Every structure is written in structure tokens, then in C-alpha cells.
Amino acid sequence: HLSQLYNFEVQLHSGVPLSEQWKLASVGDVAVAHFSGDVKVWDAEPDQELSLLASPHSQPVMESLSKSVRQNAEVRCQILHIEWHRIFACALKRCRVDLETWPDKSWTAVLQTGYLKSKARNAEALLTSLLSEHATGSRALEGLLPGDNVVVGGSQVQRLATILRTPYREGEVLLWQVPLPLEGEHAMGSCIAVNADCLTPTKEALTLGVG
């Protein structure tokens, strides 16, 4: 018998066994997350809400849950959604580091921006378009790639972060931030869009005594 935690249905649908384990599981309990929604985890940006409902037909199932169980499931869904994108960005960095050549040119834009939808025949044109749309901050964006670690923050509070999307909005990149100690031991970090000028690559940060 395989525990639900090793094939954990993050989104709710009629086929999800509503066991006590599913109802009460925290993010830290989940070993393998399984997303089954009509809107896939990779179709929603990391800072967008991913619906707990796998499809509208599951509404009666959700309404049958208690308020506390529903809230736990919704929070769990959002955290695991963000975590999927963080792991994806780290995987892109691993590919850039480990592979001398990439056999499929359609992955060029994916590796450089973090946008999975950019895997298409016109990937190079899309990458050029993305950069031109954000030309104002293009110089600051140079060298910032998905999966890279940076330091964000002012003189009072500085946080380690991982780049998820670059560029995101004009002159900005989308980051996953390491949680602060005051957020609790079970905090899983958060997404934030930050102007590229406000970021410090981790190597430079260590030189400055950060971290």
C-alpha cells in the first residue's frame, strides 16, 4: 500500500480519497505532489493563485469539507504551487550548468527566462520580444537567470532569493524569497516582483558580508 503522501493530490477532484491524512497533511508532510487541475501548475505564474478545485464539477466535494480543512488545503495548494516553480527554476539552472549544448533550440528562451510556454518554434523571437518589452531595465537584467540566487532588501533586512522569471514586468524579475525566522519554522517562502536594480548576486553579497 502506497501512502497518499507519495502521490499527493494537491487539487481537489472527485477521485481524491478524502482521508484524514489528506485533510490534515501539512506541506512538510508531502513527499510527492501531484497536480491534476484543468489549469496546470505550469500554466499559472508563481505569484498567481492556483485554484484548489481541479474542475468546477468538484465544487460539491469542496463544500462538503469543514472550514478548517478547506483552509488548510487552499494554503497547501498555493505553497506547493510556488514550490513547483522554484524547483523548476533550479532545474533550468542545472541544465545550463551541466549541458554544454542544448539539442533543441526551442528551449533557449525557457532556459534564459523561466517561461515554460516559450518552448515553441519561435522561441528565439519570443525571447527577443520579451527583452525588448522590458528594454528599460534590460541592462540591470543582464546576467540574471532563472535559478540564480540573489540578495534582496535594504540595510535593515536582507533576504536570500531565487530568480523564477526574468524579465517579469518592466525592469523587474520574479523571485522566491527565503522565509524569515519570525515567519515560523514551517514557513515556505513567498513570491515577489522586484526591480532588478535592487538585487545583489550572491557572490557579491558574500563579499559585502551578507549571509
Side-chain angles (χ1 to χ4, degrees), residues 146-187:
D148 287 348
N149 289 326
V150 293
V151 173
V152 59
S155 58
Q156 299 299 317
V157 178
Q158 294 178 316
R159 300 173 72 166
L160 184 67
T162 300
I163 297 173
L164 304 181
R165 299 282 189 276
T166 176
Y168 190 59
R169 292 190 288 261
E170 187 171 338
E172 293 183 334
V173 298
L174 186 64
L175 307 172
W176 171 85
Q177 294 186 121
V178 171
L180 293 171
L182 56 82
E183 293 175 352
E185 60 178 324
H186 300 298

Side-chain angles (χ1 to χ4, degrees), residues 6 15 21 43 48 51 81 83-84 90 98 103 105-106 116 123 172 180 201:
Y6 289 88
Q21 189 174 61
D43 290 327
Q48 294 176 346
S51 175
H81 166 57
E83 180 66 2
W84 186 95
C90 292
D98 290 355
K105 289 185 177 180
S106 65
L116 186 58
E172 293 183 334
L180 293 171

Side-chain angles (χ1 to χ4, degrees), residues 51-70:
S51 175
L52 173 62
L53 287 177
S55 76
H57 302 294
S58 305
Q59 184 69 36
V61 179
M62 188 171 76
E63 292 175 351
S64 70
L65 301 175
S66 69
K67 182 179 179 180
S68 61
V69 168
R70 189 164 61 247

